[in-house]
Amino acid sequence: MTSLGYFLSCEEFPPDELVRQAVRAESAGFERLWISDHFHPWNGEQGHSPFVWSVIGALSQACSLPITTAVTCPIVRMHPAVVAQAAATCAVQLDGRFVLGLGTGEALNEHITGAHWPPSATRREMLKEAVDVIRSLFTGKQISHRGPYFTVDNARIYTLPARSPPIYISGFGPRSARLAGRIGDGYQSTMPSRELVSEFRDAGGVGKPTQAGFKVCYAPTAGEAISTAHRLWPNEQLPGELAQILPTPAHFEQASSLVPASAVEEAVPCGPDLKPYLDRIRAFFDAGFDEVYIQQIGSGQGRFFDFWESEVVPEIAV
């Protein structure tokens, strides 16, 4: 069963605004929420980065939608034992409507403790061990762990949900998609790639849920929307591994200065025309994703939700 959710951007908005958006998203017909987990925004224009676990606590009291972190990195900035406790608490607050989305992260957020930022192969190994630690702690037993990357000494989580939250794994390449199939309860991506979904399925993901998200920018004119998207999210169009290795928002601003507005226009559904929005949604569902999350770029959230209710919902309900 396919469904549509709203993607809350912690990089763009303070906590109270994120809560307002979640409430409005539910009333507009969205069925679930994604929420990003960052220490820094990607650039100074975005301007925010609240602590996601506090925001989820507020969301649990404000709306009834399921929530998935997209995504939390449990390998450098936060020890997996701390992530396990945070996730367990959220699952209790949300009465089982919480999914823990995990990934290998970015230097932008993880280098802040001064720890070495490892190469991608090492980060995947660290993630696998972190998932093992988190699942062990979800049992409610006291555990000790001595692994190549993490140590846990006589830890036990006392506040636990009736059922452990599912763990979905984010992956943007075939190795990560296969890892998600092996160790995850589901898969997350931001690309409408049938090939990556197949890699996930072939590696053990048959029958497991798949999630994906993308950005849009609704505005009364295409020009206004393109300008807003280019100002706030040019980093989305950076090539290769830059998103994983650049360490500060200033570095992203420098690299993004090379991204033309035309690249954003080509990649992001912008403006009042309904067709690009519907085409992008269908591309993800056609690629095999079960849940698709949409993030409105910029401050025009009210305009977007009105557009969604009046223009998009009637089309997707057909």
Side-chain angles (χ1 to χ4, degrees), residues 31-296:
E31 299 171 288
R32 53 194 70 243
L33 298 170
W34 256 14
I35 187 167
S36 54
D37 180 1
H38 270 227
F39 190 88
H40 291 137
W42 296 98
N43 56 55
E45 283 289 333
Q46 292 170 3
H48 286 280
S49 197
F51 191 55
V52 71
W53 306 104
S54 300
V55 179
I56 292 172
L59 293 171
S60 74
Q61 304 304 300
C63 71
S64 63
L65 299 180
I67 299 173
T68 302
T69 54
V71 295
T72 291
C73 177
I75 64 175
V76 178
R77 169 172 52 112
M78 290 183 67
H79 191 282
V82 177
V83 173
Q85 184 189 28
T89 298
C90 289
V92 170
Q93 290 176 302
L94 286 159
D95 194 23
R97 293 176 285 110
F98 178 72
V99 173
L100 177 60
L102 298 178
T104 55
E106 306 91 13
L108 174 70
N109 304 300
E110 307 305 316
H111 82 282
I112 60 164
T113 63
H116 169 67
W117 182 240
S120 57
T122 302
R123 298 200 305 271
R124 287 192 295 272
E125 294 173 1
M126 295 174 74
L127 181 61
K128 183 179 183 302
E129 184 179 341
V131 169
D132 290 341
V133 168
I134 292 168
R135 290 195 190 279
S136 295
L137 286 164
F138 281 169
T139 66
K141 299 176 181 177
Q142 180 172 295
I143 73 158
S144 292
H145 171 88
R146 300 287 186 276
Y149 302 108
F150 304 109
T151 297
V152 180
D153 187 21
N154 296 318
R156 177 183 172 189
I157 296 176
Y158 281 81
T159 300
L160 288 165
R163 300 176 67 178
S164 297
I167 297 174
Y168 291 10
I169 303 297
S170 171
F172 304 116
R175 293 185 182 90
S176 295
R178 289 193 292 269
L179 179 65
R182 292 194 298 272
I183 70 172
D185 302 312
Y187 174 57
Q188 297 174 306
S189 183
T190 58
M191 296 176 286
S193 171
R194 183 179 296 275
E195 291 75 18
L196 289 178
V197 173
S198 294
E199 294 279 4
F200 167 70
R201 301 284 189 218
D202 293 344
V206 174
K208 297 177 182 179
T210 53
Q211 300 179 331
F214 68 95
K215 294 174 177 59
V216 303
C217 190
Y218 174 81
T221 69
E224 179 185 342
I226 293 164
S227 176
T228 298
H230 184 242
R231 176 175 58 85
L232 288 168
W233 288 92
N235 55 284
E236 285 275 298
Q237 311 313 317
L238 292 176
E241 294 185 59
L242 287 177
Q244 281 73 52
I245 64 175
L246 293 179
T248 69
H251 288 103
F252 276 93
E253 290 166 11
Q254 293 163 13
S256 297
S257 68
L258 302 174
V259 176
S262 59
V264 175
E265 180 182 6
E266 183 177 345
V268 179
C270 285
D273 184 2
L274 177 62
K275 186 175 184 300
Y277 299 83
L278 296 177
D279 288 347
R280 188 62 55 85
I281 290 168
R282 287 168 181 148
F284 279 96
F285 286 144
D286 289 347
F289 288 96
D290 304 306
E291 303 169 13
V292 177
Y293 296 79
I294 295 92
Q295 174 189 327
Q296 162 70 6

Side-chain angles (χ1 to χ4, degrees), residues 28-30 274 278 305 307-318:
F30 286 99
L274 177 62
L278 296 177
F305 287 122
F307 167 72
W308 182 267
E309 283 184 297
S310 64
E311 302 290 336
V312 182
V313 170
E315 290 294 325
I316 61 179
V318 174

